[in-house]
DNA sequence: CCTAGACCCTGTACGC
DNA sequence: TGCGTACAGGGTCTAG
C-alpha cells in the first residue's frame, strides 16, 4: 500500500485522533509478521498513553509514556493502521487491537503480513532505521548529494530512486510519476542522470508533497486513519495506465518489469 | 562490491 | 462455477 505520502497521511490522521489517548487493553491475534511480535507486548502496552506519533521513512514511530518506549509500525504492502469508532464492524486480518479509554480502538490490519508492529529496541533501531537515507524534504537531500550518489550507480534510475538508502519514501508508484515529470526513461543508468539531479530533487519533493496534500493515493482498499480514501491516484500520469494515451503527446503508455516490479512510462516523452 | 531473483503472504482479477 | 496464473503500494536475503 503505502509510500511516504500514504504513511504521512496515516500519521497525521492518527495524531489528530489519538495523540494523548490511553491504551486500556491490547489484543494481538497474530504475531507472525516480517519480524515476530514479541510475547507479552500486550501487557506492556496496557495503561500507556500515546504521547506522539512520528515518522521516519515509511516507518511510524509511536512514543509511549511511563517508560513504555516507542512502537515501530510498518505497513508493508497491504497494512492499514486506523481508528475504529465504537460500534463499527470488525474486518478480517485485524491482527493488533489497542482499545482506548473512550471505547474507540486503534487497529493494525495487514492481510499480507509484510508489515511490522514492534517495540523499538536498540537492535531494531539499528537494523531497521540506521541505514536509511535522507528524508526527501530534509536539507541533506540536496542536488549535490543526489548527483554524487547517482554517479556511482549503473543500475536503472527507477530501481535506484526506490532504494531507501539513497532517499527514503519513494516507492513503485511515485518513482514512475517522478520519472515521467522529469522526462527520464526508467531504464536509464543512474549515472547518466547526474545532470538531472537538481531537477529530480525538486520533482521528488513536488510529487510527494502534492500526494500528501491529496491525502495519499487510494488503490484497491487503502484508507487513512479515519477510513477515508486519498485522491492522488486521479493525478497519476503514467502509473497503472499502460495502453492509455500520454497526457502530453498521446503516445501509448508502456509497462515494463524492473526488479520484479512494474514500471510505467511514455516512450516518446521519456527517451 | 554489484546485480537479479526468490521469498515472505493473502486477495483479487482474468483467461480458460 | 471453478481452477490456474499473474499481479499487487515493501523489504530482505541469497546466489552468481
Amino acid at each position: 500500500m503505502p509510500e511516504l505520502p500514504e504513511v504521512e497521511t496515516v500519521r497525521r490522521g492518527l495524531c489528530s485522533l489519538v495523540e494523548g489517548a490511553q491504551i486500556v487493553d491490547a489484543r494481538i491475534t497474530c504475531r507472525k509478521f516480517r519480524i515476530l511480535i514479541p510475547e507479552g507486548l500486550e501487557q506492556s502496552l496496557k495503561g500507556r498513553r500515546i504521547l506522539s506519533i512520528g515518522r521516519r521513512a515509511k516507518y511510524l514511530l509511536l512514543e509511549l509514556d511511563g517508560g513504555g518506549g516507542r512502537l515501530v509500525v510498518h505497513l508493508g504492502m497491504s497494512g492499514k493502521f486506523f481508528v475504529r469508532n465504537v460500534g463499527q464492524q470488525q474486518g478480517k486480518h485485524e491482527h493488533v487491537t489497542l482499545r482506548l479509554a473512550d471505547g474507540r480502538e486503534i487497529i493494525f490490519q495487514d492481510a499480507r503480513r509484510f508489515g511490522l508492529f514492534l517495540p523499538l529496541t536498540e537492535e531494531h533501531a539499528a537494523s531497521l532505521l540506521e541505514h536509511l537515507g535522507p528524508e526527501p524534504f530534509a536539507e541533506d537531500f540536496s542536488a549535490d548529494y543526489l548527483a554524487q550518489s547517482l554517479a556511482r550507480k549503473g543500475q536503472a534510475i527507477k530501481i535506484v530512486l526506490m532504494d531507501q538508502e539513497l532517499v527514503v519514501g519513494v516507492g513503485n508508484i511515485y518513482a514512475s510519476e517522478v520519472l515521467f515529470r522529469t522526462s527520464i526513461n526508467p531504464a536509464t543508468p543512474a549515472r547518466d542522470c547526474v545532470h538531472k539531479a537538481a531537477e529530480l530533487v525538486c520533482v521528488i519533493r513536488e510529487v510527494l508533497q502534492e500526494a500528501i496534500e491529496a491525502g495519499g493515493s487510494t488503490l484497491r482498499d487503502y484508507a487513512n486513519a479515519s477510513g477515508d480514501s486519498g485522491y492522488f491516484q486521479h493525478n497519476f500520469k503514467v502509473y497503472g495506465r499502460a495502453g492509455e494515451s500520454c497526457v502530453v503527446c498521446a503516445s501509448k503508455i508502456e509497462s515494463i518489469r524492473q526488479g520484479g516490479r512494474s514500471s510505467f512510462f511514455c516512450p516518446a516523452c521519456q527517451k
Side-chain angles (χ1 to χ4, degrees):
Chain A
M1 168 207 349
E3 301 180 35
L4 187 144
E6 290 73 42
V7 178
E8 179 61 19
T9 298
V10 169
R11 188 194 70 78
R12 293 180 183 187
L14 285 175
C15 278
S16 68
L17 292 171
V18 300
E19 213 162 56
Q22 186 172 33
I23 300 165
V24 296
D25 195 23
R27 190 171 65 248
I28 301 174
T29 52
C30 175
R31 319 190 88 87
K32 198 169 168 288
F33 291 87
R34 206 169 103 202
I35 300 174
L36 208 64
I37 302 180
E39 295 293 333
L41 178 63
E42 297 92 322
Q43 279 308 314
S44 65
L45 291 177
K46 265 186 202 174
R48 303 291 181 202
R49 274 184 196 284
I50 299 165
L51 297 178
S52 65
I53 300 160
R55 179 188 58 74
R56 171 72 175 112
K58 299 172 191 169
Y59 293 90
L60 289 164
L61 303 167
L62 280 71
E63 185 91 34
L64 304 176
D65 76 349
R70 284 192 292 176
L71 288 174
V72 57
V73 180
H74 193 286
L75 301 178
M77 295 274 264
S78 57
K80 277 158 249 169
F81 200 35
F82 61 98
V83 176
R84 185 167 60 215
N85 291 315
V86 180
Q88 281 185 318
Q89 215 196 332
Q90 189 176 331
K92 279 183 81 175
H93 305 295
E94 294 191 358
H95 303 115
V96 180
T97 303
L98 309 177
R99 197 159 60 80
L100 304 177
D102 61 10
R104 290 178 304 158
E105 292 175 323
I106 303 175
I107 310 291
F108 174 62
Q109 177 186 47
D110 184 5
R112 293 177 75 179
R113 287 188 270 126
F114 290 173
L116 55 82
F117 188 105
L118 288 173
L120 187 62
T121 59
E122 298 252 336
E123 293 74 34
H124 287 139
S127 64
L128 299 172
L129 305 179
E130 239 165 47
H131 63 100
L132 292 171
E135 288 288 326
F137 299 111
E139 271 184 36
D140 53 352
F141 182 56
S142 64
D144 275 352
Y145 162 81
L146 185 61
Q148 287 178 32
S149 304
L150 295 181
R152 285 185 263 113
K153 295 176 188 291
Q155 257 182 314
I157 185 68
K158 159 73 162 28
I159 305 285
V160 170
L161 287 185
M162 291 175 63
D163 178 356
Q164 305 297 296
E165 291 192 38
L166 180 93
V167 61
V168 301
V170 180
N172 200 44
I173 291 177
Y174 298 111
S176 277
E177 294 299 315
V178 163
L179 292 174
F180 176 75
R181 291 198 194 188
T182 49
S183 307
I184 299 170
N185 186 295
T188 310
R191 66 168 70 94
D192 297 343
C193 302
V194 168
H195 66 291
K196 293 219 173 188
E199 189 187 348
L200 276 165
V201 168
C202 290
V203 171
I204 286 168
R205 288 174 173 161
E206 176 186 286
V207 169
L208 296 178
Q209 185 61 42
E210 285 176 22
I212 290 169
E213 285 167 9
S217 298
T218 300
L219 275 63
R220 299 170 191 83
D221 53 2
Y222 160 81
N224 67 19
S226 322
D228 304 320
S229 300
Y231 294 95
F232 191 77
Q233 67 278 10
H234 304 300
N235 296 332
F236 292 167
K237 301 290 192 288
V238 288
Y239 183 82
R241 298 195 52 216
E244 295 179 33
S245 299
C246 172
V247 293
V248 171
C249 75
S251 300
K252 273 208 186 318
I253 301 299
E254 291 185 8
S255 167
I256 56 171
R257 303 279 304 167
Q258 294 182 286
R261 324 285 304 270
S262 292
S263 302
F264 299 88
F265 68 104
C266 170
C269 294
Q270 297 170 260
K271 291 292 186 188

